Amino acid sequence: MSSSTGMIGIDLKKGDRVDITRPLVRFIRGAFPEKVEDIMVGIEDLSKMRDSSLTPEKSEKGVDSLLRYYLQLTSMDSKLPINENQIHITFTWYDAFYKDSVFSGKRGSQSNSLFERSAILFNMGALSSQIAAAQNLDTDDGLKIAAKYFQVASGAFSHLRDKMVPMLQKIPTPDLSIEVLSSLTLLMQAQAQECIYHKAVADKMKEKVTCRLAASGMDLYSEAYKAMSNVNMKGSSWDKWTATCLAKQNYLGGLAEYYQSVNAKASNAIGEELSRLKEADKCLTDAVKQSSGNFECKDVQSKINRALAAAEKDNNFIYHERVPNIKDLPAIGRAPVAKPTPLPSQIEGWSDVFAALVPLNVQQAATMYASRKDHLIHVELTKLRDATQSLNSALNQMNLPAALEDLSGKEMPASLLEKGSDVRTKGGIMQLRKLFEELPQLLQRNEEILRDTMKSIDDEENNDKHLRSQFGEKWQRTKSEDINRNMREQGQKYQQILDNAKNADKIVREKFEKNFQAIDILSKDETELVNSIPAGGAQSLSQEGQKAVATLKSYLDQVKLLKGERDSLEEKFKAGGDTEEIISKFSQLNVENNLFNDEAISSEQLEKVYGPLQAAVQDSIKSQDDLIAKITTANDEFVRSKSGSTTDPRSETMTSLANGYDAFIELQSNLQEGNKFYNNLTKILTTFQSQVNDFVFARNTEKEDLMKTLQSNIAKAAPPARPAPPTFHQQAAPAATPAAATSAAVPPPSQSSSVGTPVQGYNPTYGYPQTQYGGYYTYPGPQYPPGQYSYGQYPPTQYPPGQYPPAQYPPGQYPPGQHPPYTGPK
């Protein structure tokens, strides 16, 4: 508080340093893996902003740095959400109004960006008030700067009260309560209005203006006083500030009446002039008493006293006007110029250090779109592949095209040789075995990651439950089971994915075992392949049969064309180059309206991009059905026209090999997809594990801080009541003998002396002076080896009653310097 003007500056909140880099990097690696390297500089800049915000410079530069950090936190909130469930960073800030709040426990710790922004905005208002209160109000620049920064402070506290604190789950420190922030908003606005009034007086504006400015200042101080009176801040400067507000209310009220009296005099309203001067004198008298020297107002009081004396003299000797009651006079007009400065959303030279990242809701919408797109592509490609497999099966059952290539029963069908060559080129059965061997290892690695991750969640939750049962209501932090629910659900989802994958692996292995023999034959060299097929007899064809062969070959050419079209369709489905387009669309809608229907937009985009491809899939399947019907009819004609057997071992073997080839192609694709799936899942699970580890680390840090606070509070608590002395020492004692009466002067035995050592001739039933040492009796009675004798009990088997070990002390002798001579019975 300024000693000459009484202007009040608010102390800043103090905060603890915290590592924000590690949790941010972990989250970005999971949510934006491709952006990690690009935004490391941004993370470093944010860390520097945070460090400087703890000790801001007391200048316009300091206010600017706080505002930049606040804007950065606000901007990144939609991209990098700091809360207990996502980026877990625990911020700790102390109450601003208690100078010993670091040690008194008046601090708040929360794991969310909103609390951090609230503390920064409070400090921005507090620092602005300090800059304003430190100005020299006797200069024009000082008044301008003070008025500006008091209004900035009022705007900061107002925004904090209206927009931010209501969203906090609980008020972390008293200085962030709605009542305190309302009081500070009004106080800063009142002080800004007072500065504007002083500027008007310094600029020699007319009394009609200055009286209105002063009256508005009085109103604001009155509101601030009422608001501050309802806040209990014992042990701080709050009560002193409240008294200053009341004094300023009377001070400006008196000045308003004074300048209005000048206006009345100019209008020859002498009675009104006197009434207002008397009211002004009364207000200033109260202000002088209430200010307690916090600001100078005696000069103004003297000025009003002189004006009142002169006016009374003139009225008594010249005008003789009746002096009206002040309540009957018209109210003074108002000119509330000071307003809370709205918090800017952008300042010159500031830019978001994470501009490269899209808002998380946009990313989530894009992810959901990608998921819907992948599902659509999977469904359509599955239709195509199932149709192709069905087509191959139908052809294999008819032994096509091999039957057309082996009419002599001796030649090896070219198509079968091509299939064998393709199998060998792709690694054959050994390649399938290698892929099969990798699957269990990949599965086991994923299961171990997930198991360890879920164990970390369980251990942290069990530890929290244990401490909560130990400390009870004092363990004031969110329950782990309430925070980790999403992580548990995510872990269960991954477990279900692994279970489904294991079932899929089992189906693939069964198909491999079913077609093992055929694939093994196809994997051999061409000579062995040819020798594995039994010889057949020559077949003669009728004229109708020859026509059927020509027709079948034509249809088989159409089959090749159909498969080629499907390959092209599959490539178009996989191209999927509309990611940037949909992100741009979502981002634009997010700027216009934070809530948008991503499902409807996704459906519209999918229909636009993939609708024609889906129609092509349907046409291809319909064409296949028609083609298979034609091939079946032509093949029946071909079979009827053959003169040889249709069920010879050669045909059956070639059919089996054809089926084996199709199985090989499908198995290889399945196994490659399975390996890719497990490797991708490993990355996802590793990211999930990192997020859980960050969560556990933050919770452990929060736990340690809370335990320190609880231990500190326990240490400060009142010591327990002194326990009652043992009954052994409460026995009634007879009157002390003269010798015993001097025992009080004997110093008590030290901890290293033989306290409790049996003394010959000592009987506890006789009175012995009970001197106290440190709140406890110095002579606790005879001590024996631990675990052998109870407290105050003598070993009956060793010494008869009243007799002590003679080897320690001769009769009548006690440890030197500890006890006076014993004078009781022997």
Side-chain angles (χ1 to χ4, degrees):
M1 178 185 293
S2 174
S3 59
S4 59
T5 63
M7 294 297 180
I8 297 171
I10 309 302
D11 289 335
L12 273 65
K13 293 175 72 67
K14 295 181 180 179
D16 287 347
R17 296 188 180 277
V18 64
D19 177 22
I20 64 175
T21 301
R22 183 171 174 263
L24 284 172
V25 171
R26 285 285 183 86
F27 181 84
I28 291 170
R29 281 177 178 165
F32 308 96
E34 71 284 355
K35 300 287 187 179
V36 176
E37 299 301 326
D38 297 338
I39 60 177
M40 281 304 298
V41 175
I43 295 176
E44 293 174 3
D45 290 343
L46 180 68
S47 183
K48 292 176 182 177
M49 289 184 204
R50 214 276 165 171
D51 290 341
S52 65
S53 71
L54 297 177
T55 54
E57 182 181 320
K58 190 176 178 180
S59 65
E60 183 176 1
K61 183 179 178 181
V63 175
D64 183 71
S65 67
L66 289 173
L67 180 57
R68 287 173 184 271
Y69 180 46
Y70 171 83
L71 291 175
Q72 181 58 60
L73 288 172
T74 303
S75 177
M76 64 183 272
D77 194 49
S78 62
K79 308 171 185 179
L80 301 171
I82 299 175
N83 53 54
E84 291 182 326
N85 295 322
Q86 292 170 293
I87 305 177
H88 196 114
I89 303 175
T90 301
F91 299 107
T92 298
W93 290 91
Y94 299 87
D95 191 276
F97 298 115
Y98 293 91
K99 297 193 181 296
D100 65 338
S101 62
V102 175
F103 306 102
S104 66
K106 292 185 182 298
R107 69 172 190 173
S109 296
Q110 290 190 12
S111 301
N112 61 67
S113 171
L114 184 60
F115 177 45
E116 174 82 347
R117 283 183 283 150
S118 299
I120 294 301
L121 194 54
F122 183 96
N123 278 357
M124 178 182 160
L127 185 59
S128 298
S129 73
Q130 291 181 11
I131 294 173
Q135 298 302 311
N136 182 0
L137 300 188
D138 293 331
T139 66
D140 188 66
D141 287 343
L143 287 169
K144 288 180 181 178
I145 294 173
K148 172 187 173 181
Y149 278 100
F150 276 134
Q151 291 178 90
V152 169
S154 181
F157 292 130
S158 175
H159 187 89
L160 190 54
R161 174 197 63 193
D162 298 336
K163 305 294 185 181
M164 301 182 68
V165 170
M167 293 191 292
L168 288 171
Q169 293 181 353
K170 63 178 181 179
I171 305 301
T173 50
D175 54 6
L176 292 180
S177 67
I178 298 295
E179 296 77 12
V180 169
L181 294 174
S182 296
S183 301
L184 294 178
T185 299
L186 291 168
L187 174 60
M188 296 299 117
Q189 187 179 355
Q191 293 185 140
Q193 181 74 19
E194 182 183 355
C195 292
I196 294 170
Y197 154 76
H198 286 304
K199 180 71 169 58
V201 172
D203 291 345
K204 298 181 179 179
M205 290 187 175
K206 294 181 179 180
E207 287 78 7
K208 289 183 180 180
V209 175
T210 53
C211 73
R212 291 171 179 265
L213 291 173
S216 294
M218 176 195 68
D219 292 343
L220 288 171
Y221 273 117
S222 175
E223 293 179 33
Y225 171 73
K226 291 176 183 177
M228 295 178 74
S229 298
N230 293 325
V231 176
N232 183 8
M233 282 281 188
K234 292 182 179 179
S236 69
S237 301
W238 194 265
D239 291 341
K240 183 179 179 181
W241 295 346
T242 304
T244 299
C245 281
L246 181 60
K248 287 290 186 80
Q249 173 189 338
N250 287 313
Y251 171 68
L252 288 177
L255 285 169
E257 295 292 349
Y258 168 73
Y259 286 110
Q260 189 65 9
S261 74
V262 175
N263 294 330
K265 182 178 181 180
S267 302
N268 293 321
I270 306 302
E272 179 182 348
E273 177 194 9
L274 273 170
S275 179
R276 293 192 182 278
L277 284 173
K278 288 181 179 180
E279 182 66 20
D281 180 61
K282 177 183 175 183
C283 289
L284 263 297
T285 300
D286 291 341
V288 170
K289 294 178 181 178
Q290 294 157 353
S291 67
S292 301
N294 291 330
F295 65 94
E296 181 57 49
C297 54
K298 290 183 178 179
D299 290 345
V300 175
Q301 184 185 29
S302 300
K303 178 181 179 180
I304 292 174
N305 285 336
R306 291 193 298 272
L308 176 59
E312 286 179 335
K313 181 178 179 182
D314 290 346
N315 191 50
N316 290 336
F317 289 98
I318 302 174
Y319 302 108
H320 305 289
E321 286 195 15
R322 183 183 67 85
V323 179
N325 190 310
I326 190 67
K327 295 180 181 179
D328 297 332
L329 295 177
I332 300 173
R334 300 295 195 268
V337 178
K339 304 287 184 182
T341 301
L343 197 67
S345 58
Q346 183 75 29
I347 56 176
E348 184 178 356
W350 175 82
S351 61
D352 182 6
V353 298
F354 300 117
L357 302 180
V358 297
L360 205 59
N361 64 328
V362 171
Q363 188 200 25
Q364 289 172 343
T367 301
M368 291 302 298
Y369 170 78
S371 178
R372 295 185 182 103
K373 181 179 77 171
D374 291 344
H375 176 71
L376 181 149
I377 292 173
H378 174 73
V379 169
E380 297 303 318
L381 292 184
T382 299
K383 289 179 182 178
L384 283 177
R385 291 169 182 173
D386 288 347
T388 300
Q389 186 176 359
S390 175
L391 175 60
N392 290 335
S393 296
L395 294 176
N396 290 339
Q397 291 298 323
M398 292 181 279
N399 195 23
L400 295 175
L404 302 180
E405 301 167 344
D406 186 33
L407 295 176
S408 66
K410 297 179 180 179
E411 297 180 2
M412 186 69 177
S415 60
L416 203 55
L417 291 175
E418 290 177 3
K419 290 176 180 178
S421 175
D422 189 37
V423 169
R424 291 191 297 274
T425 301
K426 292 177 179 178
I429 198 165
M430 296 303 296
Q431 176 65 14
L432 292 184
R433 283 176 171 171
K434 180 182 177 182
L435 292 174
F436 269 116
E437 289 173 358
E438 292 176 356
L439 283 182
Q441 299 174 7
L442 297 173
L443 172 63
Q444 182 180 0
R445 180 176 61 181
N446 286 323
E447 288 182 324
E448 288 174 353
I449 295 173
L450 184 58
R451 183 169 56 251
D452 292 344
T453 302
M454 299 308 293
K455 184 177 183 299
S456 296
I457 297 175
D458 292 337
D459 291 345
E460 193 282 326
E461 181 176 325
N462 292 335
N463 182 258
D464 181 67
K465 288 180 178 178
H466 171 70
L467 292 171
R468 193 174 301 280
S469 64
Q470 181 178 352
F471 290 101
E473 296 181 355
K474 294 179 181 179
W475 194 251
Q476 295 181 350
R477 71 167 183 168
T478 309
K479 293 182 179 179
S480 294
E481 59 195 63
D482 294 337
I483 302 175
N484 63 29
R485 186 175 295 112
N486 290 337
M487 288 185 286
R488 285 196 178 280
E489 292 176 356
Q490 197 171 355
Q492 292 168 0
K493 180 186 73 174
Y494 291 140
Q495 185 60 58
Q496 183 63 45
I497 289 173
L498 285 173
D499 292 341
N500 293 339
K502 284 191 285 187
N503 292 333
D505 293 346
K506 181 180 178 182
I507 294 173
V508 171
R509 183 168 291 278
E510 289 174 353
K511 178 175 286 190
F512 173 71
E513 292 172 353
K514 179 180 178 181
N515 295 276
F516 173 82
Q517 186 176 2
I519 297 173
D520 185 47
I521 293 173
L522 289 169
S523 301
K524 295 177 181 180
D525 59 37
E526 186 171 318
T527 302
E528 290 184 90
L529 175 61
V530 171
N531 292 335
S532 66
I533 302 176
Q539 300 174 356
S540 60
L541 293 175
S542 62
Q543 187 175 2
E544 289 77 9
Q546 293 176 354
K547 290 182 179 178
V549 169
T551 302
L552 283 172
K553 288 182 177 180
S554 173
Y555 289 152
L556 291 176
D557 289 340
Q558 293 182 35
V559 168
K560 290 181 180 179
L561 181 62
L562 182 65
K563 289 182 177 180
E565 291 175 350
R566 288 180 178 177
D567 290 339
S568 177
L569 268 178
E570 185 166 339
E571 291 300 321
K572 290 179 181 179
F573 271 114
K574 290 180 178 180
D578 62 331
T579 304
E580 295 298 327
E581 179 183 349
I582 196 66
I583 289 178
S584 176
K585 184 176 292 187
F586 284 144
S587 297
Q588 182 178 356
L589 290 171
N590 186 57
V591 173
E592 298 172 359
N593 183 7
N594 193 39
L595 299 176
F596 54 88
N597 190 341
D598 63 294
E599 185 174 355
I601 298 168
S602 296
S603 299
E604 180 182 343
Q605 181 74 6
L606 291 174
E607 176 62 30
K608 171 186 172 183
V609 176
Y610 296 101
L613 298 179
Q614 288 177 293
V617 169
Q618 295 298 325
D619 291 343
S620 177
I621 294 173
K622 186 176 184 301
S623 298
Q624 173 179 309
D625 293 339
D626 296 340
L627 189 57
I628 288 177
K630 293 178 182 178
I631 292 174
T632 302
T633 302
N635 185 66
D636 291 344
E637 183 64 29
F638 168 68
V639 170
R640 285 195 298 270
S641 68
K642 291 194 297 182
S643 60
S645 172
T646 60
T647 59
D648 64 290
R650 182 178 180 85
S651 297
E652 292 177 354
T653 301
M654 288 192 292
T655 299
S656 174
L657 292 175
N659 288 330
Y661 174 77
D662 292 339
F664 173 83
I665 297 299
E666 184 179 356
L667 285 169
Q668 187 179 50
S669 175
N670 291 340
L671 290 171
Q672 288 173 346
E673 288 180 1
N675 282 23
K676 181 180 178 181
F677 162 79
Y678 281 128
N679 284 317
N680 290 338
L681 184 60
T682 299
K683 296 178 182 179
I684 295 173
L685 291 177
T686 302
T687 300
F688 176 54
Q689 187 179 43
S690 297
Q691 293 172 349
V692 170
N693 288 341
D694 283 343
F695 164 77
V696 172
F697 176 80
R699 290 284 287 180
N700 287 339
T701 302
E702 184 182 38
K703 175 191 71 176
E704 291 170 2
D705 290 343
L706 184 54
M707 290 188 71
K708 288 179 182 178
T709 301
L710 291 175
Q711 291 169 356
S712 176
N713 293 339
I714 292 172
K716 293 176 183 178
R722 184 175 65 191
T727 56
F728 172 78
H729 292 282
Q730 295 177 355
Q731 297 176 10
T737 63
T742 64
S743 63
V746 179
S750 64
Q751 293 292 337
S752 61
S753 66
S754 56
V755 176
T757 303
V759 181
Q760 184 178 5
Y762 174 75
N763 191 314
T765 60
Y766 295 106
Y768 192 85
Q770 296 178 337
T771 57
Q772 292 187 350
Y773 176 72
Y776 297 94
Y777 294 97
T778 59
Y779 194 79
Q783 295 181 353
Y784 297 94
Q788 293 187 24
Y789 311 105
S790 61
Y791 180 82
Q793 180 181 351
Y794 298 93
T797 58
Q798 294 187 28
Y799 311 108
Q803 183 176 347
Y804 294 84
Q808 293 190 20
Y809 303 107
Q813 183 175 344
Y814 293 82
Q818 292 191 23
H819 309 292
Y822 176 70
T823 58
K826 298 188 178 180

